[in-house]
Amino acid sequence: ENIDFFVFSAHKMYAPYGGGAEGGGTPVPLIDEEDGTPEKTRTERTMSVSAPLFLIGAAFVAVGLFLSSLTQNQLIAAVSSIGAIVAMLLVSLVIDSIPFAWLQGILEWFSILDRYVPFMNQALSIPAVMYYFSLAAVFVFLTVRVYDKRRWS
């Protein structure tokens, strides 16, 4: 039996991006049997979950950038950035154990993971997208203000 190594290696390289070397990479939507609507293709499913991760990453980078601007020491900046990011992620886990309803409401508003839930269900949540954009914008703005204050003092 002869193996065509070119097709084998091309399929291995291009398989994550579509149908492989033979398939041409054109996704064919499957029809949902319950209501007859086309199902999302693999690319649509991947983008609906990974695009919000990019926004969360941008927000985390902005938080780290701001905390890095507050100190001259790189180790302190790294540890404080990791601590702030972990605290932002763990907020959703401690919300249920807080006895005050008003504090639960505030912490739910700041929770990063609670706003990601609609994206896991492949639904676009405009308030969540705006939250991630505004969180990144606020921390970049605060970073610029810190450096402006440092420059003019």
Side-chain angles (χ1 to χ4, degrees), residues 1-11 22:
E1 177 178 334
N2 293 334
I3 297 175
D4 188 356
F5 289 107
F6 177 73
V7 171
F8 180 74
S9 62
H11 177 70
E22 309 87 30

Side-chain angles (χ1 to χ4, degrees), residues 24-88:
T26 57
V28 177
L30 302 173
I31 303 299
D32 190 8
E33 293 178 7
E34 293 178 11
D35 58 0
T37 59
E39 290 183 1
K40 291 186 175 183
T41 60
R42 181 177 10 167
T43 305
E44 290 172 334
R45 288 191 305 264
T46 303
M47 289 304 293
S48 67
V49 175
S50 63
L53 286 176
F54 175 76
L55 295 174
I56 293 172
F60 287 163
V61 167
V63 168
L65 187 68
F66 170 69
L67 292 173
S68 176
S69 71
L70 295 178
T71 182
Q72 297 291 327
N73 191 343
Q74 293 177 355
L75 183 62
I76 293 173
V79 170
S80 63
S81 297
I82 292 170
I85 290 169
V86 167
M88 291 169 72

Side-chain angles (χ1 to χ4, degrees), residues 54-56 58-60 62-63 66 88 109-110 112 115 125-143:
F54 175 76
L55 295 174
I56 293 172
F60 287 163
V63 168
F66 170 69
M88 291 169 72
W109 192 86
F110 281 107
I112 296 282
R115 293 184 184 265
S125 174
I126 298 297
V129 170
M130 293 305 298
Y131 172 76
Y132 295 136
F133 270 126
S134 60
L135 186 67
V138 163
F139 278 104
V140 168
F141 173 76
L142 290 174
T143 302

Side-chain angles (χ1 to χ4, degrees), residues 83-98 103-115 131:
I85 290 169
V86 167
M88 291 169 72
L89 289 173
L90 293 180
V91 149
S92 62
L93 299 177
V94 298
I95 287 175
D96 295 332
S97 63
I98 296 175
L103 187 57
Q104 284 181 348
I106 292 172
L107 290 178
E108 281 177 359
W109 192 86
F110 281 107
S111 176
I112 296 282
L113 294 180
D114 286 346
R115 293 184 184 265
Y131 172 76

